[in-house]
Amino acid sequence: MVRYRHTTLPPPYLKRVWLDGEAEIDRRVYPWCLPLFRGDFSLEFDVPVTIIAGENGVGKSTLLEAIAVLAGFDEAGGGPGHRAVDHSRALESSGGALVSALKASWLPKIGQGWFFRAESLFSVARYLDDAGSRSADFLSHSHGEGFLRLFEERCARPGLFLFDEPESALSPLRQFDFLKLLRRIQSVGQAQVIMATHSPILMALPQARLLGMGKYGIDPVELEDTPHFRIQRQFAFDPHGMVRDMLEE
């Protein structure tokens, strides 16, 4: 097994990703049919924690999957060398297809970290159990507790960590526990985090860069200007009235 020596340079390690304008791609098929990737797509990372917010279907998970493959992880989740999901009979297209035309700038290129996907966490945890990981046993707890235990155990290490909607198994209170974990990652200064989320609680992490991803671009955004924050604020002010109005639409 290859062992990586972690750099003494501070994060972020992945500096930029962009589409190669000379790559041959078919705009009629996924993921190239997504409007976000039809133009000159480019994204820079300038702080240790980058948070991406956006509606379903705009390409958040697709982008994270592609970055995971660029970093040497499996697009289904896990770390370097983990292949917890069998892709041999898969029919769907995934973000890994982006890698054929996606380029990256690293300083330095690192080979450590983890890709957390809510959809495949059970498979990854089972893989670790079957592999005899002494620190695994993530499935002997509730869904949310297992998530947090896996986050805390894996993120105590240096590297690149990708989170795709980690709030899916976390109660609002547990999301604050996850925020504390992200805060520790920031303070230690040995890891880079890129996270896609719908949770305004997670979007509020201090000193993180919050980006709003839409159909045609991705740009910095303030928490209070995200649709996620606005709709939850509206619900908090008048929950019954908002539900009534939404059901009548």
Side-chain angles (χ1 to χ4, degrees):
M1 177 171 45
V2 177
R3 294 187 179 276
Y4 297 93
R5 180 176 297 174
H6 191 70
T7 177
T8 57
L9 293 174
Y13 310 116
L14 177 61
K15 300 295 186 181
R16 177 173 172 252
V17 293
W18 70 97
L19 288 183
D20 180 1
E22 299 181 358
E24 294 184 6
I25 55 178
D26 187 347
R27 298 289 184 181
R28 298 170 298 176
V29 301
Y30 182 88
W32 311 111
C33 61
L34 291 173
L36 180 69
F37 303 122
R38 290 179 184 170
D40 297 327
F41 174 80
S42 177
L43 178 59
E44 295 185 359
F45 303 96
D46 54 9
V47 294
V49 179
T50 301
I51 301 172
I52 302 174
E55 269 300 331
N56 293 330
V58 298
K60 302 187 307 300
S61 295
T62 299
L63 178 61
L64 280 188
E65 289 167 4
I67 293 175
V69 175
L70 285 172
F73 310 153
D74 188 82
E75 57 198 288
H82 292 93
R83 294 295 181 267
V85 178
D86 181 6
H87 302 287
S88 60
R89 291 186 292 177
L91 299 178
E92 75 276 7
S93 297
S94 66
L98 273 176
V99 176
S100 63
L102 194 69
K103 292 189 174 295
S105 173
W106 302 81
L107 186 63
K109 175 68 181 291
I110 58 174
Q112 302 175 88
W114 201 266
F115 178 28
F116 298 88
R117 291 190 65 201
E119 298 93 334
S120 58
L121 179 69
F122 180 88
S123 298
V124 173
R126 178 63 67 198
Y127 173 89
L128 293 174
D129 282 347
D130 292 342
S133 174
R134 290 177 295 176
S135 59
D137 192 27
F138 302 115
L139 301 179
S140 299
H141 304 263
S142 71
H143 199 190
E145 291 293 332
F147 262 55
L148 282 174
R149 289 191 72 247
L150 180 57
F151 294 159
E152 290 173 351
E153 194 272 334
R154 295 290 150 170
C155 293
R157 313 171 184 183
L160 172 67
F161 297 93
L162 308 172
F163 295 95
D164 190 10
E165 300 181 12
E167 73 277 9
S168 60
L170 302 177
S171 69
L173 185 60
R174 287 303 189 188
Q175 289 180 39
F176 284 101
D177 291 334
F178 183 63
L179 273 184
K180 294 176 183 178
L181 171 62
L182 294 177
R183 192 62 164 170
R184 290 199 299 272
I185 291 175
Q186 288 176 316
S187 63
V188 172
Q190 290 186 325
Q192 178 178 2
V193 171
I194 304 173
M195 174 173 64
T197 182
H198 294 294
S199 167
I201 293 175
L202 300 188
M203 294 178 199
L205 177 69
Q207 299 176 12
R209 187 185 189 205
L210 179 59
L211 301 173
M213 179 182 284
K215 283 187 176 182
Y216 302 104
I218 180 167
D219 299 289
V221 65
E222 295 295 329
L223 170 65
E224 293 79 5
D225 293 330
T226 62
H228 311 72
F229 179 87
R230 289 178 174 178
I231 197 168
Q232 290 206 11
R233 179 173 57 186
Q234 184 179 353
F235 176 80
F237 284 160
D238 185 14
H240 301 294
M242 181 179 179
V243 169
R244 182 179 61 250
D245 292 343
M246 296 296 285
L247 291 177
E248 291 175 353
E249 282 188 358

